[in-house]
Amino acid sequence: MTDSILSGAVARPSQITKLLAWRRAWLQMDKNPDMIRFAGTLRGSVVIHAAFFAVLLLAGLDIGFGTAAIAIAGLIGCALLPSKRTLVIAASTLLFLIIRPFHAFELAEIPPAIIERLGLTGTSPKILAWAATALFMIAAWIALYLQGRYRETLAAKRPLLSMVVLFWLLVLIAVSNTLPALPLAFLWTFLAAFASGFWFLAYALADQKAKDPTRNGIRLGLFHPFWEGPPLPTGKGAAYLKKFEAKDETSLAVTRLKALKLLVWGVLLTALYLALTKLINGYAGLPTLHRAMELYAAGTPVPAYEAWAALAVHYLLDIAFIAGWSHVVVAIVRMAGYAIPRNTARPLSSRTLAEFWNRYYFYFKELLVDFFFFPAFLRYFKKQPKLRVAFATLCAASFGNVLFHFTWNLNLTLDYGLLGAMQHFESYAVYSLLLAGGLIISQLRGRKPKPEDGFLRYEVLPRIGVGLFFCLIAVFNETPELFTMHDRIAFFFSLFGVM
């Protein structure tokens, strides 16, 4: 009797077993045939969108409820008109350009700042921003038209070079202060709009140069899409998005399931970043890297172990921050029907500097590769392979890196003049040179870590080396305009007890 009872008894799964099973089901839902079929139905689409919007509103605490609301409106449009999603995106761009003309607050500061400096009473920064943005969009359309019409000209073949020359010629005119007050205010605001849309136009011109057939109106519609983000095109241009666009109901269902998973992960990472920042830098009292450098510059340095801890925490929290907001942005793009790659994908698993750079900030790395690495690689030192790779990496990770951020921070040029802004950026130039040097060595090393090297030399030491490198060069990247090079160098050597 007892044996029969025991043999027929079924052990209840523990709570941990249930949680692990739910986690497995969640992570595998985009591969589950039943879930994919459900997501492809009208009811499933409504449920997934409702869940996505609910989580996105939580993300609104970080990205802003206005941004979340525009994203929700855009996604509803894409869901109702999936075959017209490019037109929906273009319409959202028009809405965004009206509500928030600039991609970055650094650029949004320029219209009110120049109006105040010039004493222009009765001039509205908002109207100035709208007018300058409208002119930039018209100029962008003209540039696309002329490139398509005159393909064999130098400007059409080298669109980025043409844009860089034109932009900085206009900056030189602006800093010369030779224009009357109102035209000068408009020029600075136009430059802010130009800087905001610079890399979106660069991708549009590059796509057209590669003979992508997308209409110019659709290209312009990607200059400020409803997934927004910084002045860095997430998803590049029209040709790249087209490559990842869902082609049927099944692929669209899978893409939406992946979008929901990524959004939840992004919100959790953002919450983790905020909680750890509050816990470590707030309750525990560990200074941030910025604060540790500030105290050192003031002559009251923190103990070396605290400085090292600040570096390590800065490194880890920076990854969590980048991953959190970029997962949200990529999730919105995926929900719209484009299964683009993640921006940040397990960077802590990297065993080389080059691998980390590829995993940490994918779309920024892609921009540097597309516009600086490949042009240099295809043009120079063709008979010297190692020098070819090293020079192309230097052009991308150093020159291109600095140009991107210097253009983004145009407000520094307004505040300090061109030479003053360059001086404020000298530490970032050093940072980019160190980064380029590390990447060059990483790429040219003859031997990479292998599993047969053993657990320590394959799994542990390479990752510690990668983390240590990026921790240390962060000293030259932290708030470029606030610390002198002397302060940074002295703080760097103080970590090793030298100063």
Side-chain angles (χ1 to χ4, degrees):
M1 179 72 176
T2 306
D3 290 342
S4 64
I5 292 174
L6 290 175
S7 62
V10 178
R12 291 184 179 180
S14 67
Q15 289 299 321
I16 294 177
T17 304
K18 289 181 181 178
L19 287 173
L20 290 175
W22 290 341
R23 177 180 178 272
R24 243 184 340 266
W26 169 261
L27 293 177
Q28 297 297 318
M29 69 178 180
D30 56 301
K31 298 179 180 66
N32 184 320
D34 293 332
M35 279 299 301
I36 294 170
R37 277 194 295 272
F38 174 72
T41 64
L42 177 60
R43 181 186 175 192
S45 177
V46 170
V47 170
I48 290 171
H49 276 83
F52 191 93
F53 296 160
V55 180
L56 189 57
L57 287 173
L58 286 178
L61 294 168
D62 182 53
I63 65 174
F65 289 107
T67 299
I70 293 176
I72 289 171
L75 290 173
I76 290 173
C78 288
L80 295 175
L81 301 167
S83 62
K84 303 290 184 182
R85 60 170 61 96
T86 53
L87 294 178
V88 173
I89 294 168
S92 76
T93 286
L94 179 61
L95 180 62
F96 245 136
L97 289 174
I98 293 171
I99 296 174
R100 196 177 302 156
F102 306 110
H103 278 278
F105 74 88
E106 293 91 345
L107 299 171
E109 289 178 351
I110 289 177
I114 190 63
I115 287 173
E116 182 180 356
R117 176 183 296 184
L118 297 174
L120 290 171
T121 57
T123 303
S124 168
K126 187 170 288 187
I127 292 175
L128 204 60
W130 286 340
T133 300
L135 180 61
F136 170 71
M137 296 299 287
I138 292 169
W141 184 88
I142 292 171
L144 287 164
Y145 171 78
L146 292 176
Q147 185 196 39
R149 183 76 181 271
Y150 304 101
R151 290 183 177 275
E152 299 307 312
T153 61
L154 178 63
K157 291 180 178 179
R158 305 286 295 276
L160 180 63
L161 177 63
S162 303
M163 287 176 60
V164 170
V165 170
L166 176 61
F167 181 84
W168 291 106
L169 280 176
L170 291 175
V171 170
L172 287 174
I173 294 172
V175 297
S176 69
N177 291 319
T178 56
L179 296 176
L182 187 58
L184 182 59
F186 185 80
L187 176 57
W188 273 109
T189 308
F190 175 79
L191 284 168
F194 196 165
S196 183
F198 191 97
W199 299 104
F200 296 86
L201 177 57
Y203 269 118
L205 292 168
D207 282 352
Q208 184 167 256
K209 179 186 172 185
K211 299 183 179 179
D212 173 69
T214 303
R215 298 193 307 275
N216 287 344
I218 300 301
R219 295 190 202 280
L220 294 176
L222 290 171
F223 278 30
H224 214 317
F226 58 74
W227 51 83
E228 212 204 16
L232 170 69
T234 300
K236 301 190 183 186
Y240 189 83
L241 285 174
K242 195 181 301 180
K243 184 169 69 172
F244 291 97
E245 186 173 10
K247 301 298 189 294
D248 52 53
E249 291 299 323
T250 300
S251 61
L252 181 58
V254 171
T255 300
R256 286 172 173 170
L257 290 170
K258 288 183 175 180
L260 180 58
K261 286 197 320 184
L262 189 62
L263 178 67
V264 171
W265 184 222
V267 171
L268 288 175
L269 280 175
T270 300
L272 179 66
Y273 166 78
L274 295 172
L276 288 178
T277 300
K278 188 73 173 176
L279 178 65
I280 297 172
N281 301 129
Y283 295 126
L286 180 72
T288 62
L289 176 59
H290 179 94
R291 182 58 179 159
M293 293 175 65
E294 196 173 52
L295 289 170
Y296 186 88
T300 54
V302 299
Y305 71 88
E306 281 195 22
W308 277 104
L311 275 175
V313 169
H314 175 84
Y315 168 70
L316 296 173
L317 289 182
D318 180 63
I319 291 174
F321 173 76
I322 291 288
W325 72 257
S326 66
H327 283 356
V328 172
V329 173
V330 171
I332 296 171
V333 181
R334 287 182 176 181
M335 200 66 181
Y338 301 96
I340 63 172
R342 294 196 302 180
N343 184 60
T344 306
R346 297 184 293 111
L348 293 176
S349 68
S350 304
R351 295 182 179 86
T352 67
L353 302 183
E355 183 185 359
F356 180 90
W357 187 239
N358 191 52
R359 291 176 173 276
Y360 167 68
Y361 207 155
F362 177 75
Y363 289 104
F364 181 49
K365 184 273 302 182
E366 284 289 284
L367 183 147
L368 297 180
V369 168
D370 291 338
F371 292 113
F372 299 97
F373 181 90
F374 278 133
F377 184 81
L378 296 174
R379 193 169 285 116
Y380 303 108
F381 306 112
K382 294 181 180 179
K383 295 182 180 179
Q384 298 167 287
K386 290 187 177 181
L387 183 57
R388 189 183 189 188
V389 170
F391 181 73
T393 302
L394 182 69
C395 288
S398 184
F399 176 74
N401 192 349
V402 172
L403 178 65
F404 175 90
H405 286 92
F406 196 66
T407 304
W408 179 346
N409 289 271
L410 184 67
N411 58 312
L412 295 179
T413 303
L414 173 63
D415 292 340
Y416 303 108
L418 189 55
L419 293 178
M422 291 171 68
Q423 186 176 4
H424 278 79
F425 244 75
E426 63 182 357
S427 69
Y428 195 82
V430 172
Y431 163 80
S432 69
L433 282 172
L434 293 171
L435 173 63
L439 293 175
I440 290 168
I441 293 170
S442 177
Q443 289 173 301
L444 296 182
R445 281 181 64 186
R447 190 180 187 282
K448 302 293 189 294
K450 297 178 180 179
E452 52 266 31
D453 294 335
F455 179 80
L456 186 64
R457 294 177 62 190
Y458 179 68
E459 297 288 357
V460 180
L461 294 180
R463 290 168 179 165
I464 291 176
V466 168
L468 181 61
F469 175 81
F470 282 99
C471 278
L472 290 174
I473 66 171
V475 173
F476 299 94
N477 182 26
E478 177 62 20
T479 319
E481 68 273 19
L482 291 184
F483 299 103
T484 67
M485 273 302 299
H486 176 269
D487 292 337
R488 294 174 189 277
I489 293 171
F491 180 81
F492 181 88
F493 283 108
S494 73
L495 294 168
F496 303 95
V498 176
M499 298 182 72

